[in-house]
Amino acid sequence: MRRLPFRRRTDEPQASGPVPIPLTRARIAAYLDSEGYKHVMDDDGDLAASWNGNPFWLIVSGEREEVLQVRGRWATSLPREVRTSLLHVINGWNRDRFWPKAYVRDEGGLLAVYGEWSIDLAHGVTDEQLGRCVLTGLATTLQLFDHVAATLPPSDSPDAD
């Protein structure tokens, strides 16, 4: 099998524009500030904020702090009795969509729904790309929460009497 060369030819035009630079918490905070999003840094050094009443964390991880993760928790907690219905909804989401990853946690006797969207930015990221990454994580996780609320059987819905 013949290997394809991956070296850039010297006669090809070079791309111009912003150069990707390493991901940092400070750059994420600067983006949030530029968009007017209120946020704090938690005890773990993660940026925390709320969107549509749902808590979110913007986490930098990896050996070289190159992975951005947007993690959200649905503000609604559900009783353990709806676990089976909720897991069917979450499994359907994970089966039919690439992201965000969805999961359920037992927290103090109630069920919490989380969404996580992660991206490896080992080669750096421009400011515009960073903004798109953050917004993608936020928007798709909020879509997850809306989907869960709309898809739970009526008897299991948080608004059911």
Side-chain angles (χ1 to χ4, degrees), residues 37 51-52 54-58 68-74 90 93-94 96-103 113-119 131-149:
Y37 297 134
W51 277 271
N52 295 352
N54 304 289
F56 276 82
W57 298 267
L58 292 99
L68 169 63
Q69 181 181 88
V70 178
R71 178 185 300 164
R73 182 195 185 281
W74 190 29
I90 296 299
W93 174 273
N94 286 329
D96 296 339
R97 293 171 179 82
F98 290 115
W99 65 77
K101 171 182 74 176
Y103 59 93
V113 174
Y114 283 82
E116 291 181 357
W117 183 84
S118 301
I119 185 166
R132 288 177 190 253
C133 289
V134 170
L135 289 178
T136 296
L138 293 172
T140 57
T141 302
L142 290 170
Q143 288 171 359
L144 163 67
F145 300 156
D146 289 345
H147 173 79
V148 172

Side-chain angles (χ1 to χ4, degrees), residues 145-157:
F145 300 156
D146 289 345
H147 173 79
V148 172
T151 310
L152 275 177
S155 62
D156 292 347
S157 146

